[in-house]
Amino acid sequence: MNSFEYMQPNNLESASKFLVKNNSSYAFAGGTDILGLIKDDIVAPKQLVNLKKINSLNFIRHDNENGLSIGALTKLSDIENNEIVRTKFSLLSQAISEVATLQLRNVGTIGGNICQRPRCFYFRGDFDCIRKGGDTCFALTGNNKYHCIVGGGPCYIVHPSDSAVALLALNAKFKIFNGKDETVIPAKDFFVLPDVDDMKENILKDGEILTEIIIPNPNTETVSKYIKVKERGAWDFALVSIAGVFNIKNKKILDGKITFGGVAPIPWEEETLNAKLKNISIDEKSINQLSDSAFNKTDALEMNSYKIPLAKNLIKKLLLEI
Ligand SMILES: Cc1cc2nc3c(=O)[nH]c(=O)nc-3n(C[C@H](O)[C@H](O)[C@H](O)COP(=O)(O)OP(=O)(O)OC[C@H]3O[C@@H](n4cnc5c(N)ncnc54)[C@H](O)[C@@H]3O)c2cc1C
Ligand code: SF4
């Protein structure tokens, strides 16, 4: 483990200044991911900038006009157990309850969960792969059981965050501070595919901080659900997960959105599937048609084509359960 300077700014401007000063500075929120990366020599920061002293980033607010607003430093367990989140935005609460263990959710933050690094065991191990600046993807010819089936190349990670899959389905927006100004972007524009940048998972530049997550109010007919398939019953990352938000009336989906985890380097939307979620009856025929319309064009690797029927069957399960 390398030596590093440890900074504890109490406002956003200073935090951003420290982060931009040195391009091997890292933000430190709950520390549940970044400390593991430092101890395993995957990253070697010169400065570690603790964001936890910035009190203005720890909040959950709701109003009927603007919806739900969550500060990036809010702990996952505080969001999971918040009464408004549980009742009005239950998809987020369900997805967060699937993150890791209670102990990790008591420490990890929503900003850290969205910005966490991938779990590919070559990336986490002693392999100088493309995502670490090398020129080889070891997963391509190695063990690729847990890797992506869509959106891959030249790197084939899956995005590890459960909360991000729910936030994409909920049409969330992310607020980013760049040292001077704040910008708000749709969650789907935050994440980047490896063919755009094979060393980063999101658009944040040096010094930029994710500050807030904003989720519009659902309407009164909204039904939602998160399902996560793991290899084992105890805590684990998703083999495939699915989130769905639907406006339903008289057994008909008026409109809706389905998103997936565990299939792509970013939280994933199958556009052909979502385009069909308009004025459609929830019956056996349409459920089969919806499932058939997804994941027909994939780049599954040697060991992960099992994810195609798994994702298709999760669409059926989700629709039957809602
Ligand atoms: C054993 C284990 C099991 C896990 N299982 C799951 C799981 O099933 N599902 C799941 O979703 N996650 C899982 N995780 C990941 C866990 O949820 C994350 O470690 C946690 O959410 C990260 O939050 P943190 O606040 O501790 O982030 P940190 O470790 O502090 O930071 C993580 C990364 O985000 C950056 N960062 C943090 N906050 C910000 C910000 N506001 N702006 C910009 N960059 C920022 C940091 O620089 C760092 O690169 C697991 C982790 C472990 C260790
Ligand atoms: S999938 Fe990405 S992170 Fe994993 S070995 Fe290949 S390049 Fe590295």
Side-chain angles (χ1 to χ4, degrees), residues 62-118:
H62 177 257
D63 71 64
N64 290 335
E65 205 179 312
N66 302 308
L68 184 71
S69 180
I70 304 174
L73 263 277
T74 311
K75 284 183 188 149
L76 292 166
S77 56
D78 289 342
I79 304 168
E80 178 188 356
N81 297 318
N82 178 277
E83 195 48 35
I84 295 278
V85 179
R86 287 176 85 98
T87 49
K88 270 187 166 272
F89 302 86
S90 70
L91 182 71
L92 183 60
S93 172
Q94 287 171 52
I96 289 178
S97 73
E98 290 283 351
V99 171
T101 62
L102 182 58
Q103 289 89 337
L104 284 159
R105 299 198 294 280
N106 276 337
V107 178
T109 64
I110 185 81
N113 188 260
I114 293 165
C115 298
Q116 64 176 297
R117 304 301 315 273

Side-chain angles (χ1 to χ4, degrees), residues 26-35 37 51 57 72-73 76 98-100 104 107-113 115-117 119 160-163 204 208-211 228 235-238:
Y26 279 80
F28 170 96
T32 60
D33 187 33
I34 189 73
L35 290 181
L37 290 164
L51 304 179
L57 294 186
L73 263 277
L76 292 166
E98 290 283 351
V99 171
L104 284 159
V107 178
T109 64
I110 185 81
N113 188 260
C115 298
Q116 64 176 297
R117 304 301 315 273
R119 287 278 150 183
S161 166
D162 285 300
S163 69
L204 290 181
E208 291 189 336
I209 297 170
L210 174 63
T211 55
K228 175 176 178 180
W235 61 266
D236 205 351
F237 289 91

Side-chain angles (χ1 to χ4, degrees), residues 247-278:
N247 289 317
I248 295 182
K249 211 167 191 178
N250 302 329
K251 278 199 147 195
K252 226 176 181 195
I253 295 175
L254 304 181
D255 58 55
K257 187 167 177 185
I258 294 179
T259 57
F260 298 87
V263 296
I266 57 174
W268 188 254
E269 251 182 88
E270 277 283 279
E271 276 165 15
T272 47
L273 171 66
N274 283 337
K276 289 188 189 324
L277 291 175
K278 290 227 166 4

Side-chain angles (χ1 to χ4, degrees), residues 143-192:
N143 186 335
N144 45 47
K145 181 176 172 188
Y146 303 109
H147 291 74
C148 69
I149 53 170
V150 281
C155 161
Y156 294 85
I157 55 158
V158 292
H159 200 279
S161 166
D162 285 300
S163 69
V165 179
L167 291 169
L168 184 66
L170 289 163
N171 291 322
K173 292 189 171 152
F174 293 171
K175 201 180 263 185
I176 296 166
F177 180 70
N178 69 3
K180 281 196 195 120
D181 307 309
E182 280 187 318
T183 45
V184 178
I185 58 161
K188 76 173 174 52
D189 295 343
F190 183 75
F191 302 99
V192 291

